[in-house]
């Protein structure tokens, strides 16, 4: 006899997007998964569409760190790693008790599903887990579906049920942004430059604002996105199509350059831009998934400036403050979360993320929309 706990009727089948290969994602009818011991079943509230989703869709997101793995998401898997959902079933009471949740609660799940056995996990660096299974990419189905299964190894966080689902799902990119901010070790007298005012860049600006640096400068090619950057906390806005960012930053810093540069565009030109506008002994934080290889003059990093160059991956230990910031209502989330699509229009959502002229900032899929 099944020990599944639920207080609502759950259908036998659901809609789900399934990966068949690069540029071949299909909406399919699948059985609703049944949670086993320690597992939860969520009814998906919203799932954000990330630039990495798009790069995987086109077969160009080489972020696995293993050349033997394909550049696209695992065939047969359902994509979608930025999601929130409502707990509608549990494999047993322990699944609820362990996570301190009840049926009907809303939770967000971290992107990575750690193995908890590799060297990185055992040392506390779970976000660098060796197998690196992630919702929607490898190992576990994501949330471009009506329901998603939460395995026992996954990390979950409660989210206020009264927040719009697309706003609540923004907790994933915001946690990533806040991890990049933590890596930067921002000080009160720092001049901080953030390249890119897309979802990650806006989150970086919001997170950096919490550190209260002396000046917070946003760079982008869009005046509309720069206005959002101002609302998220930027002091100075630079449209790089009209101004030379390197010259302007040096003018603002008596010729020295910025203390911190956080790259959140994924465009190769933004890397050399950052190296050139940083002061000596400055800090460069990279948070992007690049489509193409990036080449820079490493002499700038070493002999010229002795820079601190740091990477940032996922959003470890940043989910609670990210969710708290969303719940505070201080972010202009109605203007950040610009487009929501029903599940049937997943392809339109992917295409809009790839359309630089489409006017979108954060695109989400909300399965309950019709």
């Amino acid at each position: 006899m099944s020990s599944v706990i639920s207080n609502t009727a759950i259908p036998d089948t659901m809609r789900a997007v399934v990966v068949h290969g690069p540029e071949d994602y299909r909406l399919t009818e699948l059985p609703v998964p049944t949670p086993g011991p320690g597992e939860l079943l969520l009814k998906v509230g919203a799932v954000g569409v990330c630039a990495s989703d798009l790069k995987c869709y086109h077969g160009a997101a080489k972020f696995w760190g293993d050349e033997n793995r394909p550049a696209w998401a695992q065939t047969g898997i359902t994509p979608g790693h930025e999601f929130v959902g409502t707990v509608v079933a549990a494999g047993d009471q322990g699944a609820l008790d362990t996570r301190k949740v009840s049926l009907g609660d809303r939770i967000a799940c971290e992107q990575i599903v750690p193995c908890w056995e590799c060297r990185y996990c055992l040392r506390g660096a779970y976000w660098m887990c060796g197998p690196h299974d992630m919702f929607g990419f490898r190992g576990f189905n994501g949330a471009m579906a009506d329901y998603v299964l939460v395995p026992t190894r996954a990390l979950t966080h409660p989210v206020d049920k009264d927040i719009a689902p697309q706003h609540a799902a923004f907790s994933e990119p915001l946690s990533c942004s806040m991890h990049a901010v933590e890596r930067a070790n921002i000080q009160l007298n720092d001049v901080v430059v953030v390249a890119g005012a897309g979802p990650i860049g806006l989150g970086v600006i919001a997170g950096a604002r919490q550190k209260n640096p002396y000046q917070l400068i946003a760079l982008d090619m869009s005046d509309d996105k720069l206005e959002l950057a101002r609302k998220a906390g930027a002091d100075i806005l630079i449209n790089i199509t009209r101004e030379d960012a390197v010259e302007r930053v040096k003018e603002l810093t008596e010729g020295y350059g910025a203390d911190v540069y956080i790259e959140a565009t994924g465009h190769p030109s933004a890397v050399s831009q950052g190296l050139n506008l940083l002061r000596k002994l400055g800090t460069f934080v990279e948070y992007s998934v690049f489509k193409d290889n990036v080449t820079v003059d490493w002499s700038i990093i070493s002999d010229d400036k002795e820079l601190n160059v740091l990477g940032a991956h996922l959003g470890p230990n940043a989910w609670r403050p990210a969710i708290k910031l969303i719940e505070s209502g201080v972010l202009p989330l109605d203007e950040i979360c610009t487009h929501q699509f029903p599940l049937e229009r997943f392809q339109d959502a992917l295409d809009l993320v790839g359309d630089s002229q489409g006017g979108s900032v954060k695109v989400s899929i909300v399965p309950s929309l019709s």
Side-chain angles (χ1 to χ4, degrees):
M1 181 179 294
S2 172
S3 61
V4 172
I5 300 169
S6 181
N7 60 5
T8 187
I10 299 171
D12 294 328
T13 62
M14 66 176 186
R15 302 165 301 164
V17 178
V18 177
V19 175
H20 287 261
E23 301 184 4
D24 186 6
Y25 288 16
R26 306 174 197 173
L27 189 64
T28 308
E29 195 82 7
L30 295 177
V32 174
T34 300
E39 297 178 336
L40 300 176
L41 182 68
L42 303 186
K43 183 176 177 61
V44 176
V47 53
V49 183
C50 177
S52 62
D53 287 318
L54 184 68
K55 289 169 184 174
C56 263
Y57 173 76
H58 290 298
K62 296 181 183 296
F63 53 74
W64 299 117
D66 183 346
E67 289 299 321
N68 294 319
R69 296 182 184 180
W72 54 89
Q74 180 180 340
T75 302
I77 208 164
T78 294
H81 62 284
E82 302 180 0
F83 64 91
V84 294
T86 301
V87 180
V88 294
D92 52 23
Q93 187 61 43
L96 299 169
D97 295 344
T98 299
R99 300 184 184 278
K100 297 181 174 60
V101 297
S102 302
L103 295 174
D105 285 352
R106 174 192 270 176
I107 60 174
C109 296
E110 296 201 21
Q111 324 88 323
I112 195 163
V113 182
C115 70
W116 302 116
E117 295 177 352
C118 71
R119 176 180 295 182
Y120 301 104
C121 287
L122 293 176
R123 292 181 177 181
Y126 69 88
W127 65 100
M128 299 305 298
C129 172
H132 226 73
D133 290 336
M134 295 178 70
F135 282 110
F137 290 116
R138 174 182 167 87
F140 296 94
N141 285 320
M144 290 188 190
D146 289 313
Y147 295 88
V148 62
L149 190 70
V150 180
T152 57
R153 294 191 271 122
L155 293 150
T156 59
H157 304 275
V159 187
D160 190 330
K161 289 186 286 188
D162 294 330
I163 295 171
Q166 64 270 22
H167 297 178
F170 193 67
S171 56
E172 192 277 346
L174 185 56
S175 70
C176 294
S177 300
M178 295 183 82
H179 175 51
V181 170
E182 286 297 292
R183 292 283 282 162
N185 191 28
I186 294 169
Q187 305 298 306
L188 291 174
N189 285 319
D190 282 348
V191 173
V192 178
V193 176
V194 179
I200 294 294
L202 290 169
V204 169
I205 291 163
R209 183 74 277 157
Q210 306 304 304
K211 300 291 186 179
N212 200 29
Y214 175 67
Q215 282 184 331
L216 181 53
I217 302 170
L219 313 181
D220 203 275
M221 301 173 68
S222 163
D223 287 334
D224 290 339
K225 289 183 178 179
L226 285 170
E227 178 59 23
L228 272 179
R230 184 189 66 76
K231 293 179 180 181
D235 300 308
I236 297 171
L237 312 176
I238 299 175
N239 187 316
I240 63 170
T241 67
R242 295 196 298 269
E243 294 186 84
D244 185 309
V246 176
E247 288 185 6
R248 180 73 190 285
V249 169
K250 288 190 175 181
E251 287 172 2
L252 292 166
T253 57
E254 301 178 316
Y256 287 99
D259 301 283
V260 173
Y261 179 87
I262 303 178
E263 200 289 303
T265 71
H267 195 282
S269 65
V271 178
S272 57
Q273 172 183 260
L275 297 178
N276 285 304
L277 65 72
L278 279 170
R279 65 165 172 82
K280 294 178 180 180
L281 303 176
T283 296
F284 185 117
V285 178
E286 180 56 62
Y287 200 111
S288 288
V289 177
F290 288 94
K291 177 179 179 291
D292 301 305
N293 292 333
V294 181
T295 301
V296 298
D297 181 358
W298 277 79
S299 295
I300 299 173
I301 298 167
S302 57
D303 191 49
D304 291 356
K305 294 185 177 181
E306 195 175 320
L307 299 177
N308 300 307
V309 179
L310 303 170
H313 179 56
L314 304 184
N317 307 311
W319 281 77
R320 288 179 62 190
I323 291 169
K324 181 179 179 181
L325 189 58
I326 289 171
E327 292 175 344
S328 74
V330 303
L331 297 180
L333 287 172
D334 282 332
E335 297 174 75
I336 293 173
C337 299
T338 52
H339 294 78
Q340 294 83 49
F341 289 90
L343 192 56
E344 290 84 357
R345 293 182 62 194
F346 76 90
Q347 188 66 57
D348 292 333
L350 284 165
D351 292 343
L352 183 57
V353 172
D355 181 3
S356 60
Q357 305 301 315
S360 68
V361 181
K362 188 65 208 175
V363 176
S364 304
I365 294 170
V366 179
S368 63
L369 292 178
S370 58

